[in-house]
């Protein structure tokens, strides 16, 4: 088909697509043989002209029921038509007399009721909507009227719904020809009930279908001359035997095995069964149960079906004993007998299953074991018994299981046929063929080969039938069709079944040779068919082969072809089971003729299947066929999903595309005269005057279009492929030209009308303006004259009044000024006297204060300077001693001196001896000094302990203390200071000695180093002593504070140290004066006070800075980051007492109280507080210290944390203030979160109420307005505006949260609770107000919900699971807008439509529902009654509002600190910049240390 002549810019076409199969679009550019198309999905594609198809713009949106009515009969047209009908639950479509059934994967009970059967009874095909009942009725009527037997062929792949379609056909035929038999059971009932029996033993779960038929079935229903059913017969084809022993995951074995394992307890105990996971034939797959299927109920249902088809209870018991025996056979495992190749049961468990299987089959246990483990070979002279190895024994076991199950299935089919009974005097029959469709899997074996052979045969029969119908159509219309070619697939059938030389013949030949393997069989195929166009050999395989079927190429694996083609019974198995004590089992294996009883006789399944297939085709050839093609819309087996590629492949496999190709070979487009003239009469308008008949009019139109090859029949116009597109293109061009003429005329009319209107308007405006100007001028002149008169009189009055006022004011001012001058002089004299007195006293005070300050500063400066000089001198000594270069140079000089002063060796020895003695003396002095210091330390310690005990005793004895002296031992301090000075002088002398010794020899350098190390040890010891003294003084201070807290008032002397006061930035004042300081306690106190003042100022600067909007850096809040770095640098987390945390909390609280209604401001603080809380969570450990018991903090760990050059978070042990600050900060995060959420609810509350009121008022008033269309459009626009406002409110909130970088977990929780609020408000309004519970109100809410769903999809990252919060509202609205509520049952309402709603809520909605616009009915009274029964049973209280939703859940705090930590765990603060204005402030340089 080509449309190249009709393609232009703006044409609507179908183009091929790799994902969607076909896409529709509009041509935007034509470049020779290539065109550029803009698809409706937004995709731009380039395609060749030869590979596109035209699109019919006049096709109905819901499709046509018969695809022969399509203007363009091609693949995309057929596919689009099926999809349109599937979307509106129209699952059946005709293609001529062929019915295409698309599986809906949901129950549609209204399509298959008895009333529906009555509607289709006796109605011609095509008069009603497509339906299997119509096909069955057409077959039945044709059989009765013409006396010809009929056949209905149902095909499709697994899961397409073949079995269900077959059931529908048989139900209708039973409805049409049913008759009650004398014995009380009808033939049609037995035929219908045979389906459950055959499904139980012949169906299984596959990858594509949960109830896949693993055999072909042809049901012959026999009728008498009166059209009554007199008998029936069932034929089956190719049961999949290998499934009994081999199951792939996630498939299942046959249903009967699982039913029997789930049977009642007495049955399972009888057959010794249990959980299906125990049996090897069932546990090869992990699938044991089917969704929605109760195996116990299915077992009982199968039993009842057996009763109906005439299987007695004894026979049923025997059947299930055989099924149980097969399961037990599978659990028999074999092991090798020692020192031989024989095999035996592996263990006691295998022996148990062997005995159980023998008992169930009623045969000898030893004979059963011998038949599995041994083989008898008969020769001319003797009989040889050969033992089998374990592997061969397992194969023998599986062979026995398969043949037993196969014979059992054949017996069931024969029994059903005998029970139903065939009528030998029957004149007619209707056959229903339920056959497997074309299969192509990843692995295709012998079963797929036979299935595809069947489909090739049926496709040839189908092609012949379609071609025959085409011939009949052309003959009926008297059309010449002699040149049309017929498409045939005979070459494929010859390749497979031709004798000799076909694949089946070569397979039988290979099976008869014992040494043949699948590799030799494949090699034989390659040699025989290497030149065949339908046969190919895969490149990367040595045993596979590919056949080009009509539906596509299929590659087969030959590994199991030979084993599956062999159909023979092992002689030992035959002898064992034919001798069974159970008549049923022995009946399955009747004795064989004498010549074949001693050995295994070969027979071919392929040959048997080919014979059965030939018999089936002969039967079909003798009948009039009808076709039903079942299609599976998706591989997920779910409703409302239509996969284009999948459906198109099935249409090709089902032969629908082949039928279309046959139709396209002739005249694919056929239009009746009326349809053709109505569509194309514009091409030749002259024929519409009534002087021409229909044929002449059609011929005139076609001749005017310059078409060739068309034909005009008796009632229709027949067009060749592509001619319909040319006619549409011609019609479009004519319409385009006509539209241009109409537009030109209308535009000229509108322009002239507009000009005349403007001209008249201009004249009227000019006249009005001129009159207005004249009136304005006259009024202005009158006003000027009046103004002059008024001004004259007013100026005279004002001048007289001003003079009088000035005169009186001047007198009053003169008197007041004179009095004020006198009072001022008196006051000046008093102030001068007082100032002189104040100055004298203040100057004296300043002089005294300056003297005291200079005195203290001088002392402090002297001490500091002396200490600085001492440290500087010590550093110089150390540097000189450690300088490597100087030592090396001195060493070289000494070596030279040693060479020059060799003669003075004796003198040098004497000097060394003297130095050694001096060293010993110095060591002795140092040791004695150290001992003396230790003794002094012990004495000081004892004195301090004694002082503490005395203080305790004094505190307990005194009742009122006016003054509590706590005396620091000044003598001890002085003594330690003297000792420190002595040690320093000793260090100086030692360093001098070391310097002198370094000048003479290397040995003296070593002595100096030793002395220096000892000095360092002494200093270290001294430092330790000082720390111990400090600790003791701190203990004394604490004891003093405890004693002072017991009294209401106290007076401290100047010598008592003040209690420790915490600094505002987290540091503390020293609790006592360190005795080892080089300067006095007075200077230390002054420096501490200046340090405190500086730290307080830093805290004030920080608090002032964070009150401003610092913004964000790298997506992180600057304020939170700055606060955290300051707290880290100040060491506030490890401080026992500090008020910096309290000041921060107060500042945050005062900031958020100012603008609670401002969500932007609240979001800014929510981002800062949550980020700061995350940093605290990552820094502080779980151990919290209390003020009463301060734990020891890790000093070096904290210092390393503070001195880190790059930003990193390390764990520290938090003190009580830091832990309290973390709890308070958590509370503020929750408070700010609640404020943001509640503000958003307030904004939405008015919008939701206005939306409900506007939609309900519009719905209630629309019926009273005369123009309902206008009112509905207005109400719809109003509702749309309300919902648009809601969406804008949500977008505004989301933008605010994004701009302030609020953590995503908080954003998701906010929107989740907002959507829960929307759900509660709208749902409760439906249940409380009757005017809201209407069809039109439901439509308006549904439109709004669609907007919300689109918003949630676009903002999935922040919306989270918000859409799920609207479940109740969505289900309630879905019920309101559904049509035909009267057909809904209570089960449909509670399981499909509204499963979440309670019975009370459903009852409320159903009783409140009303609709005056469309007059749709509510649910039936039976459903209301059922609801009342459930409400009465489930009622627990008498609350009338129990159906309302509670709003408390939408007001809780749905997150924790861990959620915030997990949300921000991946955050990187390395590049975050602190506040710029704060980083430039002195004292805050540490903020820039971590920046890169």
């Amino acid at each position: 088909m080509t449309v190249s002549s009709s393609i232009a810019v703006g044409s609507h076409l179908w183009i091929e697509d790799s994902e969607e199969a076909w896409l529709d679009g509009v041509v935007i550019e034509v470049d020779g043989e290539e065109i550029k198309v803009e698809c409706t999905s937004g995709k731009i594609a380039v395609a060749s002209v030869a590979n596109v198809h035209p699109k019919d713009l006049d096709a109905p949106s819901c499709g046509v029921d018969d695809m022969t009515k399509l203007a363009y009969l091609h693949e995309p047209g057929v596919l689009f038509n099926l999809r349109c009908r599937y979307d509106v639950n129209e699952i059946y479509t005709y293609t001529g007399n062929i019915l295409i059934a698309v599986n809906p994967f949901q129950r549609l009970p209204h399509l298959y009721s008895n009333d529906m059967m009555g509607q289709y009874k006796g109605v011609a095909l095509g008069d009603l909507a497509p339906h299997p009942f119509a096909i069955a009725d057409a077959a039945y009527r044709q059989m009765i009227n013409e006396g010809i037997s009929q056949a209905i062929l149902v095909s499709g792949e697994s899961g397409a719904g073949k079995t269900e379609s077959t059931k529908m056909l048989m139900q209708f035929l039973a409805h049409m020809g049913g008759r009650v038999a004398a014995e009380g059971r009808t033939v049609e009932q037995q035929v219908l009930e045979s389906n459950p029996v055959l499904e139980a033993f012949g169906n299984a779960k596959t990858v594509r279908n949960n109830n896949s038929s693993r055999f072909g079935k042809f049901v012959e229903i026999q009728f008498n001359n009166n059209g009554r059913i007199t008998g029936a017969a069932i034929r089956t084809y190719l049961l999949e035997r290998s499934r009994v022993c081999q199951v792939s995951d996630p498939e299942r074995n046959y249903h009967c095995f699982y039913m029997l394992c789930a049977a009642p307890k007495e049955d399972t105990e009888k057959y010794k069964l249990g959980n299906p996971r125990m049996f090897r034939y069932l546990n090869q797959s992990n699938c044991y149960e089917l969704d929605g299927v109760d195996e116990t109920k299915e077992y009982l249902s199968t039993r009842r079906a057996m009763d109906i088809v005439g299987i007695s209870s004894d026979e049923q018991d025997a059947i299930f004993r055989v099924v149980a025996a097969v399961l037990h056979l599978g659990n028999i495992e074999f092991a090798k007998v020692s020192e031989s190749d024989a095999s035996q049961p592996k263990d006691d468990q295998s022996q148990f299953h062997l005995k159980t299987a023998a008992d169930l089959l009623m045969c000898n246990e030893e004979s059963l074991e011998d038949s599995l483990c041994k083989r008898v070979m008969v020769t001319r002279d003797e009989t040889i018994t050969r033992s089998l190895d374990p592997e061969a024994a397992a194969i023998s076991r599986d062979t026995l299981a398969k043949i037993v199950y196969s014979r059992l299935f054949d017996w069931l089919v024969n029994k059903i046929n005998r029970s139903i009974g065939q009528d030998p005097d029957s004149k007619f029959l209707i056959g229903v063929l339920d056959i497997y469709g074309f299969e192509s899997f990843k692995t295709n074996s012998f079963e797929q080969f036979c299935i595809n052979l069947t489909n090739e045969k049926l496709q040839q029969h189908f092609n012949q039938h379609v071609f025959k119908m085409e011939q009949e159509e052309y003959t009926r219309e008297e059309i010449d069709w002699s040149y049309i070619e017929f498409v045939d697939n005979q070459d494929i059938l010859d390749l497979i079944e031709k004798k000799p030389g076909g694949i089946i013949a070569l397979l039988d030949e290979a099976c008869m040779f014992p040494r043949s393997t699948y590799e030799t069989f494949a090699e034989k195929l390659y040699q025989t068919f290497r030149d065949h166009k339908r046969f190919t050999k895969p490149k990367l395989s040595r045993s596979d082969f590919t056949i080009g079927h009509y539906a596509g190429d299929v590659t087969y694996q030959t590994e199991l072809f030979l084993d599956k083609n062999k159909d023979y019974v092992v002689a030992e198995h035959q002898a064992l089971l034919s001798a069974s004590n159970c008549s049923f089992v022995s009946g399955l294996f009747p004795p064989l003729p004498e010549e074949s009883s001693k050995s295994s006789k070969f027979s071919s399944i392929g040959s048997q299947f080919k014979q059965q297939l030939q018999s089936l085709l002969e039967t079909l050839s003798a009948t009039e066929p009808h076709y039903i093609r079942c299609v599976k819309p998706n591989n997920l087996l779910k409703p409302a999903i239509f996969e284009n590629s999948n459906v198109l492949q099935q249409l090709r496999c089902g032969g629908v595309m082949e039928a279309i190709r046959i139709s396209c070979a002739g005249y694919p487009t056929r239009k009746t005269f009326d349809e053709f003239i109505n569509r194309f009469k514009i091409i030749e308008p002259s024929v519409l005057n009534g002087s021409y008949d229909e044929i002449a009019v059609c011929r005139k139109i076609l001749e005017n279009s310059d078409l060739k090859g068309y034909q005009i029949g008796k009632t229709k116009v027949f067009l060749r492929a592509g001619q319909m597109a040319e006619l549409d293109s011609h019609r479009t061009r004519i319409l385009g030209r006509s539209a241009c003429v109409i537009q030109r005329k209308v535009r000229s009319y509108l322009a002239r009308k507009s000009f005349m209107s403007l001209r008249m308007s201009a004249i009227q405006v000019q006249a009005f303006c001129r009159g207005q100007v004249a009136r304005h001028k006259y009024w202005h002149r009158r006003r000027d004259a009046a103004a002059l008169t008024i001004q004259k009189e007013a100026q005279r009055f004002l001048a007289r009044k001003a003079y009088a006022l000035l005169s009186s004011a001047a007198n009053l001012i003169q008197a007041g000024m004179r009095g004020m001058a006198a009072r001022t002089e008196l006051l000046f004299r008093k102030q001068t006297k007082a100032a002189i007195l104040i100055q004298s006293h203040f100057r004296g005070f300043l002089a005294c204060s300056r003297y005291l300050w200079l005195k203290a500063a001088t002392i402090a400066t002297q001490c500091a300077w002396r200490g600085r000089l001492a440290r500087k001198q010590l550093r110089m000594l150390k540097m000189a001693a450690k300088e490597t270069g100087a030592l090396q140079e001195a060493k070289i000089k000494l070596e030279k001196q040693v060479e020059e002063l060799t003669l003075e060796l004796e003198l040098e020895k004497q000097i060394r001896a003297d130095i050694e003695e001096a060293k010993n003396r110095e060591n002795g002095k140092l040791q004695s000094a150290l001992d003396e210091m230790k003794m002094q330390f012990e004495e000081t310690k004892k004195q301090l302990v004694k002082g503490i005990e005395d203080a305790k005793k004094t505190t307990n004895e005194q009742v009122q203390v006016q003054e509590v002296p706590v005396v620091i031992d000044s003598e001890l301090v002085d003594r330690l200071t003297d000792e420190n000075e002595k040690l320093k002088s000793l260090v100086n002398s030692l360093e001098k000695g070391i310097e002198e010794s370094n000048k003479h020899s290397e040995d003296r350098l070593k002595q100096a180093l030793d002395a220096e190390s000892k000095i360092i040890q002494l200093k270290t010891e001294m430092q330790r002593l000082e720390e111990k003294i400090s600790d003791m003084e701190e203990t004394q201070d604490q004891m003093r504070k405890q004693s002072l807290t017991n009294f209401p008032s106290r007076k401290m002397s100047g010598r008592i140290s003040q209690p420790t006061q915490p600094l505002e930035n987290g540091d503390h004042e020293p609790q006592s004066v360190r005795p080892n300081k080089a300067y006095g306690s007075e200077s230390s106190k002054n420096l501490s006070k200046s340090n405190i003042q500086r730290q307080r100022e830093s805290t004030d600067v920080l608090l002032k800075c964070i009150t401003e909007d610092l913004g964000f850096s790298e997506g992180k809040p600057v304020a939170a980051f700055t606060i955290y770095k300051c707290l880290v640098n100040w060491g506030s987390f490890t401080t026992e007492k500090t008020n910096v945390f309290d000041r921060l909390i107060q500042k945050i609280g005062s900031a958020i109280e100012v603008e609670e209604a401002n969500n932007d401001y609240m979001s800014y603080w929510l981002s800062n507080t949550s980020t700061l809380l995350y940093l605290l969570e990552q820094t502080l450990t779980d151990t919290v210290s209390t003020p009463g018991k301060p734990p020891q903090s890790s000093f070096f760990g904290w210092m390393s944390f503070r001195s880190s050059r790059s930003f990193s978070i390390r764990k520290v042990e938090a003190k009580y203030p830091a832990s309290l600050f973390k709890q308070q900060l958590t509370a503020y995060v929750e408070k700010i979160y609640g404020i943001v959420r509640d503000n958003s609810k307030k904004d939405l509350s008015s919008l939701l109420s206005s939306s409900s009121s506007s939609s309900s008022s519009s719905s209630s008033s629309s019926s009273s307005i005369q123009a309902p269309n206008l009112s509905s459009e207005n109400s719809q626009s109003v509702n749309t505006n309300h919902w648009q406002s809601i969406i804008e409110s949500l977008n505004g909130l989301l933008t605010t949260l994004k701009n302030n970088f609020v953590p995503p977990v908080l954003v998701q929780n906010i929107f989740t609770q907002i959507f829960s609020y929307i759900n509660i408000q709208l749902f409760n309004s439906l249940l409380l107000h009757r005017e809201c519970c209407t069809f039109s109100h439901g439509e308006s809410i549904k439109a709004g919900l669609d907007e919300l769903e689109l918003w949630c999809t676009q903002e999935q990252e922040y919306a989270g699971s918000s859409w799920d919060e609207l479940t109740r509202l969505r289900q309630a609205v879905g019920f309101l807008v559904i049509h035909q509520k009267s057909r809904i049952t209570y089960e449909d309402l509670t399981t499909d439509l509204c499963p979440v709603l309670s019975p009370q809520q459903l009852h409320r909605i159903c009783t409140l529902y009303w609709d005056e616009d469309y007059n749709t009915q509510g649910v039936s009274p039976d459903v209301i009654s059922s609801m009342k029964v459930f409400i009465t049973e489930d009622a627990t209280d008498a609350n009338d509002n129990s159906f309302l939703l509670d709003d408390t859940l939408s007001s809780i705090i749905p997150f924790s600190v861990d959620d915030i930590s997990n949300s921000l765990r991946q955050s990187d603060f390395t590049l975050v910049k602190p506040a710029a204005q704060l980083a430039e402030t002195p004292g805050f340089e540490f903020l820039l240390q971590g920046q890169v």
Side-chain angles (χ1 to χ4, degrees), residues 1176-1177 1179-1184 1211-1214 1219 1222:
L1176 294 179
E1177 180 70 13
T1179 302
L1180 306 181
T1181 58
D1182 295 334
T1183 304
V1184 180
K1211 293 289 186 179
V1212 298
E1213 184 177 347
S1219 301
K1222 177 183 172 184

Side-chain angles (χ1 to χ4, degrees), residues 897-1092:
Q897 290 178 4
V898 170
E899 294 176 356
E900 295 174 357
L901 302 177
T902 307
L903 299 176
E904 299 179 2
L905 181 60
E906 297 296 330
L907 180 60
E908 193 71 29
K909 290 181 180 180
Q910 185 65 35
I911 292 173
R912 290 179 181 178
D914 294 340
I915 291 173
E916 186 67 26
E917 292 176 359
K919 175 182 176 183
N920 293 333
R921 286 195 299 272
E922 290 174 354
N923 290 338
K925 291 179 181 180
L926 292 173
Q927 184 65 36
S928 62
L930 180 61
D931 294 338
E932 184 179 1
M933 290 178 64
K934 288 182 179 180
M935 293 175 63
Q936 291 176 359
F937 170 74
E938 293 295 333
E939 292 174 359
T940 303
K941 183 178 180 182
K942 291 179 181 179
Q943 292 175 3
L944 290 175
V945 172
K946 184 176 179 181
I948 292 171
E949 293 176 355
D950 295 336
K952 290 182 179 179
K953 292 179 181 180
T954 305
T955 302
N956 294 330
E957 292 173 357
Q958 292 178 352
V959 179
Q960 293 182 350
V961 178
Q962 300 296 329
E963 184 176 345
V964 183
V966 181
V967 181
I968 297 176
D969 194 349
S970 58
E971 295 179 358
L972 178 61
V973 174
D974 294 338
R975 187 166 61 253
L976 291 175
T977 304
D978 295 338
E979 291 176 358
N980 190 15
E981 294 296 333
K982 292 179 181 179
L983 289 174
K984 286 184 178 180
S985 62
L986 180 61
V987 169
N988 291 331
S989 63
L990 289 175
E991 289 177 349
K992 291 180 180 179
I994 292 169
E995 185 177 0
E996 292 175 357
S997 63
N998 284 334
K999 296 179 181 179
H1000 297 287
S1001 66
E1002 185 176 358
D1003 293 337
R1004 298 190 67 181
L1005 176 62
K1006 293 181 180 180
Q1007 293 175 1
L1009 294 175
D1010 293 339
E1012 186 176 4
S1013 64
K1014 291 181 180 179
I1015 291 171
I1016 293 173
Q1017 292 177 1
L1018 288 174
K1019 288 182 178 181
T1020 304
E1021 186 67 25
M1022 183 179 66
Q1023 219 169 17
R1024 291 177 182 174
L1025 291 173
E1026 291 173 353
E1027 291 177 357
K1028 291 180 179 179
I1029 293 171
S1030 176
D1031 293 339
M1032 295 174 66
E1033 289 179 353
E1034 289 176 356
T1035 304
Q1036 185 178 2
D1037 262 346
Q1038 292 178 0
M1039 294 297 297
R1040 183 176 67 254
K1041 287 188 287 183
Q1042 292 177 1
S1043 63
L1044 292 177
T1045 55
N1046 295 329
F1047 302 99
S1049 64
R1050 57 186 179 272
K1051 296 181 180 178
M1052 293 297 193
S1053 64
R1055 298 175 59 191
I1056 300 176
S1057 62
Q1058 298 295 327
T1060 303
Q1061 296 295 331
L1063 302 184
E1064 291 181 356
N1065 66 344
D1067 293 333
H1068 291 257
E1069 290 186 26
Q1071 294 181 355
S1072 63
V1073 180
R1074 297 290 183 179
N1076 60 340
K1077 298 294 181 179
Y1079 41 87
S1081 61
E1082 187 68 21
S1083 62
S1084 175
K1085 183 176 181 180
N1086 293 331
L1087 290 176
S1088 177
K1089 288 183 178 180
S1090 63
N1091 196 17
I1092 293 172

Side-chain angles (χ1 to χ4, degrees), residues 497-514:
E497 62 178 1
K498 185 178 180 180
K499 280 190 177 183
I503 295 177
I504 293 179
L506 293 178
L507 179 61
D508 292 345
E509 182 181 348
C511 290
M512 287 187 291
F513 290 98

Side-chain angles (χ1 to χ4, degrees), residues 279 519 631 853 921 931 1145 1159 1164:
F279 298 98
E519 294 177 344
V631 177
W853 180 81
R921 286 195 299 272
D931 294 338
I1145 288 297
N1159 262 357
Y1164 169 79

Side-chain angles (χ1 to χ4, degrees), residues 418-437:
R418 290 195 304 270
S419 177
I420 296 174
Q422 301 187 39
D423 184 10
D425 299 329
S426 174
K427 300 298 183 181
F428 316 110
L429 64 87
I430 296 180
V432 180
L433 178 63
D434 179 4
I435 198 70
Y436 17 63

Side-chain angles (χ1 to χ4, degrees), residues 580-593:
S580 172
N581 295 328
C582 178
S583 59
F584 180 82
V585 176
S586 60
L588 296 178
F589 294 88
L592 297 176

